[in-house]
Amino acid sequence: IFLRGRKTIKNGNDSICIEYGDLFKKKGKKVIAFDECFTTEIGETAPCIKSNSVCGQFLQKYSADDVQQKIENAHLRQATGRSHFQNKISYEIGQIVPYNEEFLLTPFAKLDESGLGYMPTKEDYLNFLALLWKEIDENYGTSNVYVTIFGSGRTRMFDGLLTPQDLLDMMICSYRLSDHKIKSPYRLCIVCRRKDGVSLNKIST
């Protein structure tokens, strides 16, 4: 189903909505992707979070100390090994930390020795998505959940030729193949930015 600025892909009793817009203006649960160490310092140099990123916008509105407390309360599983950046504790990517009634925080990008975010392999990316869909289904399946295109920002992806359009297609395919879905009347919504050059007409379905 295609409407101006929005496309809905139905699959049985579940559906995915892809739309243009501002994540923070959506009414429902909103997923905010951090790095594997949950860095909360805003700045222009790695590993700081850029102020104009989705994560940076979130951190400017909410207390970083509060975020760290929520992370501790969630008892996240640590990753198998520590981060390459300063041997810091890192967390298994794709897990969810609830933050008030509106936001879901998740570790996403790995950090290299310089503190730059990256996603090592396609398998890592798909494993991240698989766990994220599972956590959303099991804990937040009774509301609309909004996500951005993971990897379309500063994170260096496993294939430097991937476009936001390619990543969007991978996310849609991953969700459609997953056993974990948000049940009707609620759904997963992927929010795109027009400046990323994503075309709803070019979505592979």
Side-chain angles (χ1 to χ4, degrees), residues 23-26 28 30 32 34 39-42 54-68 70 98-105:
L23 179 76
F24 292 96
K25 293 181 179 179
K26 304 301 179 182
K30 292 172 275 290
I32 307 294
F34 282 71
T39 301
T40 54
E41 183 179 353
I42 296 175
V54 171
C55 186
Q57 292 175 62
F58 171 81
L59 288 171
Q60 290 177 87
K61 296 180 181 179
Y62 301 95
S63 166
D65 291 337
D66 198 19
V67 169
Q68 292 297 336
K70 292 288 194 301
Y99 187 97
N100 64 36
E101 296 299 315
E102 190 176 1
F103 295 101
L104 306 174
L105 316 182

Side-chain angles (χ1 to χ4, degrees), residues 23-186:
L23 179 76
F24 292 96
K25 293 181 179 179
K26 304 301 179 182
K27 293 183 179 180
K29 302 289 186 180
K30 292 172 275 290
V31 177
I32 307 294
F34 282 71
D35 61 49
E36 62 177 343
C37 301
F38 272 105
T39 301
T40 54
E41 183 179 353
I42 296 175
E44 293 301 312
T45 58
C48 295
I49 308 300
K50 279 205 168 184
S51 60
N52 62 351
S53 68
V54 171
C55 186
Q57 292 175 62
F58 171 81
L59 288 171
Q60 290 177 87
K61 296 180 181 179
Y62 301 95
S63 166
D65 291 337
D66 198 19
V67 169
Q68 292 297 336
Q69 187 61 56
K70 292 288 194 301
I71 293 167
E72 292 177 18
N73 294 342
H75 303 293
L76 293 187
R77 295 184 301 278
Q78 292 184 16
T80 303
R82 290 194 171 228
S83 172
H84 290 302
F85 181 66
Q86 299 180 352
N87 203 36
K88 287 187 173 183
I89 291 174
S90 61
Y91 299 95
E92 183 181 349
I93 60 177
Q95 298 179 88
I96 284 178
V97 176
Y99 187 97
N100 64 36
E101 296 299 315
E102 190 176 1
F103 295 101
L104 306 174
L105 316 182
T106 184
F108 169 62
K110 302 280 189 177
L111 295 178
D112 67 10
E113 293 84 352
S114 300
L116 296 172
Y118 73 105
M119 182 60 60
T121 67
K122 181 178 180 180
E123 182 180 10
D124 288 316
Y125 187 62
L126 294 178
N127 286 341
F128 160 78
L129 293 173
L131 180 56
L132 185 67
W133 307 147
K134 182 176 184 289
E135 295 240 333
I136 288 173
D137 172 34
E138 293 180 350
N139 300 289
Y140 308 99
T142 56
S143 65
N144 290 328
V145 176
Y146 293 86
V147 301
T148 54
I149 302 177
F150 299 114
S152 62
R154 294 180 66 192
T155 302
R156 292 169 300 156
M157 300 300 287
F158 50 90
D159 183 343
L161 299 178
L162 286 170
T163 66
Q165 190 85 42
D166 296 327
L167 295 171
L168 174 59
D169 285 341
M170 289 177 66
M171 288 177 63
I172 293 171
C173 182
S174 168
Y175 187 74
R176 294 183 71 180
L177 293 174
S178 174
D179 292 331
H180 299 281
K181 306 251 190 353
I182 300 171
K183 304 302 184 294
S184 179
Y186 306 104

